[in-house]
Amino acid sequence: MKAIVTGHTKGLGAAITQELLARGIPVLGLARGRSPDAATRYPGLLTEIELDLSDSAAMTAWLGRGEVSAWLAGCSTALLVNNAGIVSPVGPLAEQDPLQAIRAVTLNVAAPLALAASVVQATVGAERRILHVSSGAGRSAYPGWSVYCATKAALDRHAEAVQLDGDATVRVCSLAPGVIDTGMQAEIRATGEDRFPLRERFVQLKAQGGLSSPEDCARRLVAYLLADGFGSQAVADLREV
């Protein structure tokens, strides 16, 4: 068994990576930086690639080098956790940076979909488990989050369509993990209400202790990823499975 985790150096991605490594599962981490602490704690289990997943040209070049196939060669079970994502641009259309919207769609949608296809094509005969880290924003619209909502909804529809393809060796789930105390939440709380009118709701969640820790969420997420029932629901919420 081997895993690929995107955005493995921070927040939930770092916690997921630590949880997988603690279980003895080798991880290929894809992010703009590296995780010296995890590499030191689990020597030989973590392989890191510095890659900007919001850069389509860099992503295309890396995939073309066949490193997914090389990493997963001979693997009986391949895990893919598409965790990396950004909430920006935030605000109404009149205030959105179009180039930032392109980068968000590349990171939040194009990279996960391309990696999912690459993993499946590289592991013929193996079991493949694909987990998209989704959001409640993919299932309900929020003012100021048109790009974020659209990209998370895209992951949900992708998982549903893949499940309909009927390949029993491919298990997929687009999973909303709940509200987690990460850097993204800090960014949300720092956003002005003129761009995100629901900001106060997230401020109160933090003040009232309503945020899950990345570590607790990662334990439950990885347990679900490895469970017999993973993939029975194409779209799910971690708080309900």
Side-chain angles (χ1 to χ4, degrees):
M1 182 180 290
K2 286 186 173 181
I4 298 175
V5 180
T6 66
H8 73 288
T9 60
K10 297 178 182 177
L12 179 59
I16 292 169
T17 298
Q18 293 273 358
E19 184 67 21
L20 290 166
L21 294 172
R23 292 171 179 258
I25 300 172
V27 173
L28 175 65
L30 306 178
R32 289 180 296 175
R34 291 179 177 268
S35 179
D37 177 62
T40 300
R41 291 180 61 189
Y42 302 98
L45 281 180
L46 177 62
T47 300
E48 299 181 275
I49 302 292
E50 292 188 52
L51 179 64
D52 184 352
L53 296 170
S54 70
D55 183 335
S56 59
M59 184 72 179
T60 299
W62 182 76
L63 287 173
R65 291 197 288 271
E67 293 189 41
V68 172
S69 295
W71 169 254
L72 295 173
C75 183
S76 61
T77 302
L79 311 175
L80 171 62
V81 181
N82 284 312
N83 161 76
I86 53 174
V87 70
S88 299
V90 176
L93 289 176
E95 298 180 15
Q96 289 180 13
D97 180 346
L99 297 182
Q100 194 173 49
I102 291 172
R103 293 181 69 84
V105 173
T106 303
L107 175 61
N108 292 3
V109 183
L113 271 54
L115 284 169
S118 297
V119 165
V120 169
Q121 292 166 21
T123 52
V124 176
E127 179 184 6
R128 287 70 66 93
R129 297 188 176 210
I130 299 165
L131 189 153
H132 298 321
V133 176
S134 185
S135 168
R139 295 149 206 187
S140 300
Y142 292 86
W145 275 9
S146 57
V147 172
Y148 188 63
C149 289
T151 57
K152 291 304 184 180
L155 296 182
D156 290 355
R157 299 294 83 74
H158 178 261
E160 290 174 333
V162 169
Q163 189 181 74
L164 290 174
D165 288 338
D167 186 340
T169 69
V170 177
R171 301 190 187 194
V172 61
C173 181
S174 190
L175 185 69
V179 188
I180 311 162
D181 197 2
T182 64
M184 181 180 287
Q185 281 296 312
E187 180 183 347
I188 291 168
R189 294 192 300 274
T191 303
E193 289 191 3
D194 57 325
R195 289 193 296 135
F196 184 53
L198 299 182
R199 168 186 175 275
E200 185 60 25
R201 177 190 300 181
F202 292 87
V203 170
Q204 290 303 313
L205 276 173
K206 174 68 172 179
Q208 296 168 7
L211 305 181
S212 300
S213 72
E215 294 75 19
D216 178 64
C217 181
R219 282 191 293 271
R220 292 182 288 119
L221 184 149
V222 171
Y224 182 61
L225 174 62
L226 300 177
D228 291 341
F230 178 80
S232 59
Q233 301 177 66
V235 175
D237 190 306
L238 186 58
R239 294 163 292 190
E240 299 172 358
V241 297

